[in-house]
Structures are given as structure tokens and as C-alpha cells.
Amino acid sequence: MGLTDIKARIAKAETDAGRAPGSVSLIAVSKVQPLDRVEAVLEEGHRLFGENKVQEAAGKWPAFKERFPGVDVHLIGPLQSNKARQAMELFSAIHSVDRPKLATTLARLAQELGRCPELFVQVNTGEEPQKAGILPADADAFIAEVRGLDLPLAGLMCIPPVEETPSLHFALLAKIAARNGLEGLSMGMSSDFEEAVALGATHVRVGSAIFGERSYG
Ligand SMILES: *Cc1c(COP(=O)(O)O)cnc(C)c1O
């Protein structure tokens, strides 16, 4: 456990899969973690982090960014349209684009601000009613819609159902990406990032295996 160990395991998974070293970006998911744990990982030199709430990220990252140049934070949780402007200012990528209204809002703001974070379309590969994401059957049309809005679409993201084999979901996500000519695949968390790398992940989102368990107390 810890940053060094996770980086070594990613490097091994890349080699085992015949992929180039460094082809997978490690997003250290710092949500809910005590600030001293986050700071320790920054001190180790890591610069790419993930947060799932706009408000929480806004409270913690501006100060860290001043102290640690080169920090990038990605939004990996659901985004409400009314927080889109703030999200575009805070994050260098948004992994949770999952509906036309949000895409339209992001496109309008991108025009206004003259820039836009890299975007990932979230696909609800398990078709779970409580989970965000576009359904697999609607993904191709939605991807075309996002592209039609002239937004910088980097790839796709998924969170597999907890009780199912993650590989099936990673493979489905990779298949949808390939047929749409998308390179980016945001998939894999603490318990399954090596399988995700084997199936083509370009971004793994690892929280507790780096920082320790989250305590929501
Ligand atoms: C919290 C979270 C993670 C990290 O989960 P761990 O199991 O702690 O690695 C990854 N992706 C998303 C979308 C998350 O919300």
C-alpha cells in the first residue's frame, strides 16, 4: 500500500500487458482524506489527484496548488449544471459527462471562457438505476452529440457494479471507445486497477490503496 507500491504495480501491469511504460496516468483519489495524508503524497512528488465533489475540492486545492506547482485535479464524481462553471475553473479534466444538458452547459461555458477541461463521457456499463452515466445503448449517439458541440472529448469512464466481475465492464467500455475512435479510458480503482490496465486503461483512479481507508465519521 502507498504511492510507491501502487506506481510499481501499475508499471508491472503495463509491462505484463505489453504496453509502454508510463502509458497509464495514476489519479490519486483524495476525497475525504485528511489533509496531512494528501500533503504527504504531494511531498512524495505526485501531482495528479481526483475529487468527486466540487465543493470539497474548492476548499482544499487552491491552497495546495499555490504550494505545489504543477498540480492537476480531475473531477471524477457527478456534476450538476449549476456547478459547471466552478468545475471548469478548478479541474483540468471532468470524467462525469453523462447527459445532454450538462454537455450543452459545458459547451456554452467553454465558448465564454475560451478553454475547457478534457472531458470523459461516463458510461453506466452495469445499467444500474442508481448510478450516473449514459446507458451503453445510448453511448454512440451521446458521444457524437458531445463532439458536435466542439468539446474536447478525451475518452470514456466507468464504475463497474460492486458485485460483478470488473473486467467485463472494462472490456465493454474499451469496445465502445474503440468503435468511436476514442483513446482515453478512465477505469480501475484500488481493487481492480491492474485488470483495468490489462484492458487498456489510460487513467486509473486509486484512492484507499494510496491514502488508506476513508473515514466518513
Ligand atoms: C472514490 C472513487 C474512486 C477511488 O476508490 P478507491 O476504491 O478508494 O480506490 C475511484 N473512482 C471514483 C469515481 C470514486 O468516486
Side-chain angles (χ1 to χ4, degrees):
M1 294 297 219
L3 181 69
T4 310
D5 174 51
I6 298 304
K7 289 204 308 206
R9 285 169 57 188
I10 290 171
K12 179 168 190 307
E14 286 171 340
T15 309
D16 289 349
R19 300 182 57 192
S23 50
V24 179
S25 296
L26 170 60
I27 302 172
V29 179
S30 47
K31 65 181 185 199
V32 189
Q33 297 288 351
L35 293 183
D36 60 332
R37 287 191 195 167
V38 181
E39 187 165 336
V41 170
L42 282 159
E43 293 286 1
E44 284 183 79
H46 198 72
R47 290 293 178 268
L48 178 56
F49 293 82
E51 291 282 343
N52 72 336
K53 293 204 171 95
V54 176
Q55 229 48 50
E56 187 186 336
K60 131 177 35 158
W61 284 101
F64 276 145
K65 281 182 180 176
E66 270 189 27
R67 289 177 51 208
F68 297 93
V71 162
D72 272 317
V73 188
H74 288 190
L75 180 67
I76 59 170
L79 178 59
Q80 294 166 264
S81 296
N82 64 3
K83 296 216 174 98
R85 177 186 293 273
Q86 197 183 4
M88 288 176 83
E89 282 158 3
L90 268 170
F91 300 105
S92 59
I94 296 172
H95 292 234
S96 49
V97 181
D98 64 352
R99 59 196 188 280
K101 180 173 179 241
L102 177 59
T104 312
T105 304
L106 291 169
R108 179 173 48 75
L109 290 167
Q111 288 296 320
E112 202 182 306
L113 301 169
R115 61 185 165 75
C116 187
E118 283 206 314
L119 303 178
F120 291 78
V121 164
Q122 183 173 350
V123 182
N124 186 355
T125 55
E127 307 190 27
E128 296 172 280
Q130 83 285 5
K131 204 166 263 177
I134 197 95
L135 292 173
D138 300 331
D140 294 358
F142 183 58
I143 290 163
E145 190 172 344
V146 171
R147 284 180 160 149
L149 290 165
D150 212 16
L151 288 165
L153 185 58
L156 306 179
M157 179 270 224
C158 77
I159 309 171
V162 280
E163 69 284 3
E164 287 180 27
T165 310
S167 302
L168 299 175
H169 295 270
F170 298 155
L172 172 59
L173 196 72
K175 189 171 130 195
I176 298 171
R179 73 172 179 238
N180 284 283
L182 287 167
E183 298 279 320
L185 284 171
S186 167
M187 58 192 198
M189 320 203 320
S190 289
S191 55
D192 54 24
F193 66 88
E194 284 143 321
E195 288 145 273
V197 170
L199 289 163
T202 57
H203 295 71
V204 293
R205 311 178 308 265
V206 181
S208 45
I210 293 175
F211 295 102
E213 290 303 319
R214 288 178 290 276
S215 112
Y216 286 90

